[in-house]
Amino acid sequence: MDQNSSAGSKNAGVFVCIIAAIAALAGLLFGYDTGVISGAILFVKGQFALSATAEEVVVSAVLLGAIMGAGLSGQISDRFGRRRVIIATAVVFIIGSIGSACAPSTIWLIASRIVIGVAIGTASLTAPLYISEVSPPKIRGALVSLNQLAITCGIVLSYIVDYSLAGSESWRWMFAFGVLPAVILGIGMIFLPASPRWLMSRSLGDKAREALARIRNTQDVQGELDDIKETLGEERGGWKELLDPWVRMPLFIGIGIATIQAITGINVVIYYAPTIFGFAGFGSASAAILATTGIGVVNVLMTVVAIKVIDRVGRRPLLFLGLIGMVISLSVLGVAFNLPALTGALKWIAVGSLVLYIASFAVSLGPIAWLIIAEIYPLRIRGRAMSLATMANWGANLLVAVTFLTLIQKLGRPVTFWLYAVIGIIGWLFCYFYVPETKGHSLEEIEEHWHQGKSPRELGR
Ligand code: BGC
């Protein structure tokens, strides 16, 4: 490689990282707006004199909205393009945040939180989709996982903002703060190129070449364009194609991994960590909140570790390792809660288990579920197929969020955590038998693999 071309590819590397970082602000908003309610609800409850049911509705409104957003956004991002949809999402985030901050009544607040949920559901699909389509295969895992890193940072940011504003009970400002990253996301995306793969799927070859040349910082993009064109071949696009036999396997895998990400209990920890720390014997609310922030920070740090190794080690080994860690920590947590008195050392066993759990999630299912669903689908139906997987994720999230406290009441703490551990074992088996190793393969190679009717585990062999 001569010096010019190596400098060129270095610049291209920097530019694609900037693109991914801006698009990942959508992940930051996803994390912030799901996390912010935990602190805000304490004051909202008092101000609007919410009943327990009304409180549950306010909290889960976002999840309902997210299911709707996930359902709508695939088709519209296939139709109007990933970049435009992300810009529109930023606007919806702004509307929902201002609406929540100014809410004069409970109904108004619920409606605004549903609007934010729609934006979150849309962002959870379009950001990884867009990033995966602009990334070179060698670093695609790391770049798409930047979105997960941003989600984890958004969650910690929401804890910090909630904590700083709690003294003045300024819950309206907690919601209003979300406007800032949304404005940066919207403006940033205006300057970025559209996804070249999407442009090709709309038969806009010249624009695709222009966009790809800009992203790769070279005019030498014919090879990549030819690959994309070839895979588009005879594909038709549309909902019906999702039923084609060769698409069934990736569809099943994406819906499976997205569901497993949620039903292994991650949001029990994210949403209810202070409650679990309370069970473990932490008396004061502030100690529980501090411990929760610690969990959030471990989540961020271990996501950084995942980003560093994901394109070297691969997706499958990380999934195996992470799920084993999750199963062990959930089992130990169940045992700890089964012992008569959770004092002294046992209290710390409970804390240690939660730390191991979140660290294991952060190196595996956290980033990889979103990555896999952005990698394995054929281009023409990528948005629609991702819609189904993303809806499954948000649906499972809602299920877990509304059943956790009831399970604790009916089955008891140990059995509840063991139940998540058993689901974790099923998740491990699912990943072992079905999740393909996508490391280093172009999206077109992955698509060709399905076309040839090969089994998932044959990819990467
Ligand atoms: C999941 C969220 C979760 C977050 C925690 C995301 O990948 O989809 O449900 O709250 O990770 O880091």
Side-chain angles (χ1 to χ4, degrees), residues 128-211:
L129 170 59
Y130 174 76
I131 300 174
S132 82
E133 289 187 346
V134 298
S135 302
K138 263 187 171 166
I139 51 169
R140 190 180 58 236
L143 292 183
V144 176
S145 302
L146 278 183
N147 189 57
Q148 175 67 15
L149 180 64
I151 295 174
T152 60
C153 290
I155 293 172
V156 173
L157 185 65
S158 76
Y159 293 160
I160 295 172
V161 170
D162 281 2
Y163 189 72
S164 339
L165 294 172
S168 53
E169 305 196 357
S170 320
W171 62 269
R172 293 183 188 277
W173 283 106
M174 296 177 187
F175 290 125
F177 187 86
V179 171
L180 196 67
V183 169
I184 304 175
L185 171 68
I187 295 178
M189 287 303 297
I190 292 174
F191 295 99
L192 299 187
S195 157
R197 288 182 162 75
W198 174 76
L199 289 166
M200 284 297 276
S201 77
R202 305 302 288 181
S203 309
L204 297 166
D206 288 345
K207 289 204 166 141
R209 170 188 303 281
E210 214 175 283

Side-chain angles (χ1 to χ4, degrees), residues 30-31 34 124 148 151-152 155 261-262 266-267 270-271 299 303 358 361-362 365-367 369-370 393-394 397:
F30 165 168
T34 44
S124 67
Q148 175 67 15
I151 295 174
T152 60
I155 293 172
Q261 192 209 42
I266 176 61
N267 288 325
I270 298 287
Y271 303 161
N299 195 11
T303 307
I358 200 82
F361 173 86
L365 279 176
W370 294 115
N393 179 270
W394 287 108
N397 252 334

Side-chain angles (χ1 to χ4, degrees), residues 264-282:
T264 37
I266 176 61
N267 288 325
V268 157
V269 176
I270 298 287
Y271 303 161
Y272 291 104
T275 312
I276 302 175
F277 283 123
F279 295 160
F282 284 87

Side-chain angles (χ1 to χ4, degrees), residues 60-81:
S60 40
V62 144
L63 298 176
L64 274 180
I67 298 175
M68 297 195 279
L72 293 171
S73 54
Q75 188 164 5
I76 55 171
S77 60
D78 278 348
R79 174 108 194 259
F80 298 104

Side-chain angles (χ1 to χ4, degrees), residues 75 78 235-243 380-381 384:
Q75 188 164 5
D78 278 348
E235 288 175 19
R236 288 167 279 116
W239 288 107
K240 255 183 148 171
E241 195 166 337
L242 290 174
L243 298 174
R380 279 218 206 268
I381 52 156
R384 286 171 172 83

